[in-house]
């Protein structure tokens, strides 16, 4: 049981992304991106709620919500939480935020942030994609690292 709890937070994050890619979950919202002014992201207003299970055990919940931002921008918020029972062993409250803009009818990432609260482990990581400057700034717990990226790769 201890091994399960140690890797639970990372497992929960992986499950959120796997579920969002392969399953519909319980969805709310409209698929009409044109009305929201975002032409490259057809799922603005979509909300997906998941029950996260490990084997036959309900481990918690995850929610993914897609919102329109400034003109031609989007934001995807993902939250993952353990249930009350597993909170007694290792409380998980993770948040993932992804932002971007629509550029030439394609999605261009501008931000990716992860806030991990898994038991006694706490971390905040993120990347800013400065595509106009061909640079990525990665930050972990307040320490930035800048990477130059060849033109055309962001």
């Amino acid at each position: 049981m201890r091994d399960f709890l140690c890797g639970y937070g990372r497992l929960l994050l992986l499950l959120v992304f796997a579920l969002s890619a392969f399953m519909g979950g319980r969805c709310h919202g409209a698929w009409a991106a044109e009305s929201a002014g975002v032409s490259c992201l057809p799922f603005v207003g979509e909300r997906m709620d998941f029950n996260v299970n490990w084997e036959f055990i309900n481990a918690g919940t995850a929610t993914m919500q897609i919102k329109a931002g400034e003109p031609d921008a989007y934001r995807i918020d993902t939250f993952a939480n353990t249930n009350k029972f597993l909170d007694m062993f290792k409380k998980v409250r993770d948040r993932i935020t992804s932002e971007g803009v629509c550029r030439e009818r394609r999605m261009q990432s501008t931000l990716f942030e992860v806030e991990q609260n898994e038991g006694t482990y706490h971390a905040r990581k993120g990347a800013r994609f400065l595509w106009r400057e061909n640079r990525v700034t990665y930050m972990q717990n307040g320490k930035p690292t800048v990477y130059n990226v060849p033109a055309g790769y962001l």
Side-chain angles (χ1 to χ4, degrees), residues 13 78 80 93-97 113-118 122-125:
L13 287 174
T78 305
R93 298 293 184 268
D94 289 347
R95 179 185 62 83
I96 301 170
T97 301
E113 287 183 337
V114 176
E115 186 176 329
Q116 293 175 281
N117 295 293
E118 302 169 1
H122 303 285
R124 189 170 185 154
K125 306 169 191 172

Side-chain angles (χ1 to χ4, degrees), residues 8-77:
Y8 173 73
R10 287 174 191 82
L11 176 66
L12 186 59
L13 287 174
L14 290 172
L15 286 174
V16 168
F17 285 113
L19 288 172
S20 66
F22 298 110
M23 298 177 68
R26 188 179 63 199
C27 302
H28 311 278
W31 291 39
E34 296 302 326
S35 65
V38 180
S39 60
C40 69
L41 189 66
F43 304 109
V44 169
E46 193 75 20
R47 177 186 165 111
M48 296 173 277
D49 296 306
F50 300 98
N51 286 319
V52 180
N53 297 307
W54 181 78
E55 295 288 330
F56 299 104
I57 300 169
N58 178 271
T61 60
T63 301
M64 180 180 285
Q65 190 167 11
I66 304 171
K67 304 173 186 174
E70 296 295 319
D72 292 332
Y74 64 88
R75 178 182 172 117
I76 302 170
D77 291 311

Side-chain angles (χ1 to χ4, degrees), residues 71-131:
D72 292 332
Y74 64 88
R75 178 182 172 117
I76 302 170
D77 291 311
T78 305
F79 303 95
N81 303 308
T82 49
N83 62 30
K84 289 181 182 181
F85 176 73
L86 287 179
D87 280 351
M88 294 187 297
F89 301 101
K90 185 171 186 177
K91 185 176 183 177
V92 173
R93 298 293 184 268
D94 289 347
R95 179 185 62 83
I96 301 170
T97 301
S98 177
E99 294 181 357
V101 295
C102 291
R103 194 174 142 233
E104 299 171 9
R105 297 191 64 120
R106 298 180 69 195
M107 296 184 339
Q108 172 65 57
S109 294
T110 58
L111 173 74
F112 184 82
E113 287 183 337
V114 176
E115 186 176 329
Q116 293 175 281
N117 295 293
E118 302 169 1
T120 58
Y121 177 79
H122 303 285
R124 189 170 185 154
K125 306 169 191 172
R128 290 208 176 269
F129 302 97
L130 306 168
W131 53 274

